[in-house]
Amino acid sequence: MRLSTKGEYATRAVLYLSRRHGTGTVQINEIAHNEGIPTKYLEQILLTLKNAGLLISKKGVKGGYYLARPPEEITVGEVVRVMDGPLAPIRCASEKFYERCSLEPSCGLRGLWLEVRGAISGILDNRTFGDLCKSIDQHQREPMYYI
Amino acid sequence: MRLSTKGEYATRAVLYLSRRHGTGTVQINEIAHNEGIPTKYLEQILLTLKNAGLLISKKGVKGGYYLARPPEEITVGEVVRVMDGPLAPIRCASEKFYERCSLEPSCGLRGLWLEVRGAISGILDNRTFGDLCKSIDQHQREPMYYI
DNA sequence: TTAAAGTCGACAAATCCTATAGAAATTACC
DNA sequence: GGTAATTTCTATAGGATTTGTCGACTTTAA
């Protein structure tokens, strides 16, 4: 029932960019270094997020990435879905990626998976990166370090 | 955030065995056929469940599998953990498979993943296969078909 | 013009899913 | 009681997917 590393890295990267929101572009290297993510792998991930319209990139010297929308308007669920697909444990219990299963009518488990999906989406679709930034700032008064 | 096919097949198989509980041994083939699971793959899965102490097997003619405990005493969470490991989306948010992560102290996401883990385990650890059997019997009055 | 970035494609390694081939154990039957 | 049939058990091999790496290419600011 786990998140792929892609999903994990993506959420970490977007959170990082959220905390840097409004301070211009951020380079892949900086994120990779501070979050302990393999640089080349992170490249692919950020590219996917960009193609999904969540990030904007700038090439060349002083280039980098930044959020396409303010952190308050990006939910964790959105990022996870871009990288990992459905939130639901199995396909036939997904709302946004639903696929019919031949056993569905008599399936004694589908109700349970729907319940799980609901619980997960209830959390991830209602939590924005703005919320996360806020609770970080409350807990640790130290400002963020840049390299 | 999805369940592996192993986890899905295992829960289906255990539910099948739950509905047949008390009727003697059930062959791999019967389960595989009725649940649409590749036979040889199911063999491995049932073996794992047996080694985990959830099932008992009998070799030879008229052999097969049956539950080691009544369905009311087996939770879905237990089966999923045997096959898939942690219920938590990522390792550092797991209770039973916890692994420390170097970024943990400053991690802005761990709280969220803990919340997700709690929601999932709140459902799966409190639902037994006995419960599932009961709600199946309520919805469809037809008895179960055997081959 | 040069160095610093993102972009792209191919490839390597690990894990997941499934199939194949047979060994071991048990029952049934002659 | 021995042989055949049935079923689980074990090991292994191969394809698919995930995870990550490498090198060359493109764009841009200074």
Side-chain angles (χ1 to χ4, degrees):
Chain A
M1 196 79 70
R2 84 176 209 295
L3 193 65
S4 74
T5 62
K6 248 180 187 151
E8 187 196 336
Y9 292 163
T11 50
R12 292 230 299 263
V14 172
L15 179 57
Y16 193 96
L17 289 171
S18 298
R19 300 185 71 192
R20 291 286 305 269
H21 189 57
T23 68
T25 61
V26 182
Q27 285 82 37
I28 293 180
N29 254 324
E30 178 184 335
I31 305 176
H33 179 266
N34 283 313
E35 296 288 337
I37 303 172
T39 306
K40 281 297 190 175
Y41 195 34
L42 184 57
E43 278 185 16
Q44 293 173 24
I45 292 168
L46 295 186
L47 207 52
T48 304
L49 292 172
K50 180 200 141 186
N51 291 332
L54 283 135
L55 305 182
I56 294 173
S57 69
K58 237 183 95 181
K59 281 190 177 182
V61 177
K62 298 222 172 178
Y65 281 93
Y66 56 96
L67 298 183
R69 286 176 268 150
E72 293 76 21
E73 293 175 21
I74 305 178
T75 67
V76 178
E78 200 175 346
V79 172
V80 170
R81 279 200 191 85
V82 166
M83 298 310 300
D84 274 34
L87 294 187
I90 55 177
R91 218 67 179 199
C92 68
S94 172
E95 190 177 312
K96 303 211 193 315
F97 296 80
Y98 171 75
E99 258 174 39
R100 194 180 159 64
C101 159
S102 63
L103 304 141
E104 196 175 305
S106 65
C107 181
L109 285 159
R110 185 158 180 262
L112 183 68
W113 301 133
L114 283 171
E115 212 175 316
V116 172
R117 190 216 87 91
I120 296 174
S121 110
I123 297 171
L124 298 188
D125 287 337
N126 291 301
R127 197 70 45 92
T128 71
F129 285 90
D131 298 333
L132 295 178
C133 288
K134 225 177 288 174
S135 61
I136 290 172
D137 293 340
Q138 281 178 357
H139 280 41
Q140 53 187 70
R141 278 307 225 284
E142 306 288 326
M144 192 179 178
Y145 292 117
Y146 307 157
I147 38 173
Chain B
M1 197 79 71
R2 81 176 211 297
L3 194 66
S4 73
T5 62
K6 247 179 188 152
E8 187 195 336
Y9 292 163
T11 50
R12 291 229 300 262
V14 172
L15 178 57
Y16 193 96
L17 288 171
S18 297
R19 301 185 70 191
R20 292 286 305 269
H21 188 58
T23 68
T25 61
V26 182
Q27 284 84 35
I28 293 180
N29 253 325
E30 179 184 335
I31 305 176
H33 179 264
N34 282 312
E35 297 287 337
I37 302 172
T39 306
K40 281 298 187 175
Y41 194 32
L42 185 57
E43 275 188 20
Q44 295 174 22
I45 292 168
L46 295 186
L47 208 52
T48 304
L49 292 171
K50 181 203 142 187
N51 291 333
L54 282 135
L55 304 182
I56 294 173
S57 69
K58 240 184 93 181
K59 282 188 179 183
V61 177
K62 298 222 174 176
Y65 282 93
Y66 57 96
L67 297 183
R69 288 176 267 151
E72 293 76 23
E73 293 174 21
I74 305 178
T75 66
V76 178
E78 200 175 347
V79 172
V80 171
R81 279 201 192 83
V82 167
M83 300 309 301
D84 275 32
L87 292 187
I90 57 178
R91 218 70 178 194
C92 69
S94 173
E95 189 176 315
K96 303 212 192 313
F97 297 80
Y98 172 75
E99 260 174 38
R100 195 179 157 64
C101 159
S102 61
L103 304 141
E104 196 175 304
S106 65
C107 181
L109 285 160
R110 185 158 180 263
L112 183 68
W113 300 132
L114 283 171
E115 211 175 315
V116 172
R117 191 215 87 90
I120 296 174
S121 111
I123 296 172
L124 298 187
D125 286 337
N126 291 301
R127 197 69 46 91
T128 71
F129 284 90
D131 298 332
L132 295 178
C133 288
K134 224 177 288 173
S135 60
I136 291 173
D137 291 341
Q138 280 178 359
H139 280 41
Q140 54 187 67
R141 279 308 223 284
E142 305 288 327
M144 193 178 176
Y145 290 117
Y146 309 153
I147 37 173

